[in-house]
């Protein structure tokens, strides 16, 4: 995350519900329902405990809510990225994967894969960009396009969990 604000775990545990939601909402794309529902699990003993609590909320949500969470993610090298309107976290993550330095041919390939993936699953391809580079992301598209929706939804949620953990590590200082 590139917001600049960081917190200790003690400070996170002491936040009011509204301040907690505001501070942690950048961990996930879309509405902050996961963060809001995790607040009663305080006090968190560790960063891992906080992450596990957030993920437990995500994984326990109804399927429709999980799919809505996945749908809130931007396409990789999509319209928002090309227009410069991604969230600061997404901009940083796509840049870290080198997705801001693609040739016209590579942009076209991402566009084709994004379209094929959305047509197949009804939501964007989600992968933890900070753990990948353009070639592994393109390979991920090729591999995961063969999955069924029942296989792909848990994979996408697993990637959301990885993204959350990395953003959480940026947010919480020792």
């Amino acid at each position: 995350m590139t917001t600049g604000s960081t917190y200790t775990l003690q400070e996170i545990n002491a936040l009011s519900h509204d301040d907690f939601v505001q501070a942690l909402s950048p961990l996930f794309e879309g509405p902050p329902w996961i963060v809001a529902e995790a607040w009663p699990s305080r006090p968190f003993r560790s960063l891992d405990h906080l992450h596990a609590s957030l993920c437990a909320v995500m994984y326990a949500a109804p399927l429709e809510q999980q799919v809505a969470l996945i749908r809130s993610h931007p396409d990789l090298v999509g319209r928002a990225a090309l227009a410069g309107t991604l969230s600061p976290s997404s901009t940083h993550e796509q840049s870290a994967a080198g997705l801001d330095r693609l040739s016209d041919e590579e942009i076209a390939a991402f566009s084709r894969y994004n379209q094929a993936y959305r047509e197949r699953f009804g939501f964007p391809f989600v992968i933890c960009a900070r753990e990948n580079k353009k070639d592994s992301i393109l390979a991920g598209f090729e591999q995961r396009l063969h999955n069924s929706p029942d296989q792909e939804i848990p994979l996408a949620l697993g990637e959301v969990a990885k993204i959350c953990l990395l953003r959480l590590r940026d947010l919480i200082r020792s």
Side-chain angles (χ1 to χ4, degrees):
M1 291 183 343
T2 57
T3 59
S5 296
T6 61
Y7 301 87
T8 65
L9 193 59
Q10 182 178 5
E11 289 168 336
I12 290 291
N13 283 329
L15 292 174
S16 69
H17 179 269
D18 290 347
D19 290 342
F20 181 87
V21 170
Q22 183 177 345
L24 275 66
S25 64
L27 298 176
F28 295 93
E29 298 292 328
W33 60 270
I34 295 171
V35 173
E37 290 182 35
W39 183 79
S41 298
R42 297 170 312 119
F44 301 104
R45 297 179 306 278
S46 65
L47 184 139
D48 289 338
H49 179 222
L50 173 54
H51 182 251
S53 297
L54 293 163
C55 289
V57 170
M58 177 181 72
Y59 286 121
L63 179 63
E64 301 79 35
Q65 207 168 5
Q66 293 175 336
V67 170
L69 171 65
I70 297 167
R71 283 188 181 131
S72 69
H73 280 258
D75 284 329
L76 294 168
V77 195
R79 275 184 247 119
L82 296 173
T85 58
L86 290 175
S87 71
S89 296
S90 289
T91 299
H92 170 73
E93 291 156 357
Q94 289 198 28
S95 175
L99 302 185
D100 59 339
R101 300 176 298 278
L102 300 177
S103 68
D104 290 343
E105 295 80 17
E106 290 167 329
I107 291 170
F110 271 91
S111 181
R112 285 190 304 276
Y113 277 124
N114 282 328
Q115 182 176 351
Y117 189 91
R118 273 191 183 274
E119 287 173 3
R120 175 147 173 77
F121 298 108
F123 50 78
F125 179 76
V126 178
I127 191 167
C128 183
R130 284 169 66 180
E131 291 185 349
N132 289 277
K133 296 294 182 204
K134 67 181 175 189
D135 293 336
S136 61
I137 294 170
L138 290 169
F141 267 117
E142 289 179 19
Q143 178 184 15
R144 288 171 54 187
L145 272 166
H146 298 290
N147 289 340
S148 70
D150 288 342
Q151 293 170 308
E152 195 56 24
I153 291 169
L155 284 173
L157 292 175
E159 295 298 315
V160 170
K162 291 177 191 177
I163 294 165
C164 171
L165 180 59
L166 292 174
R167 290 178 179 183
L168 194 56
R169 287 179 180 161
D170 292 342
L171 183 70
I172 307 294
R173 65 183 185 275
S174 303

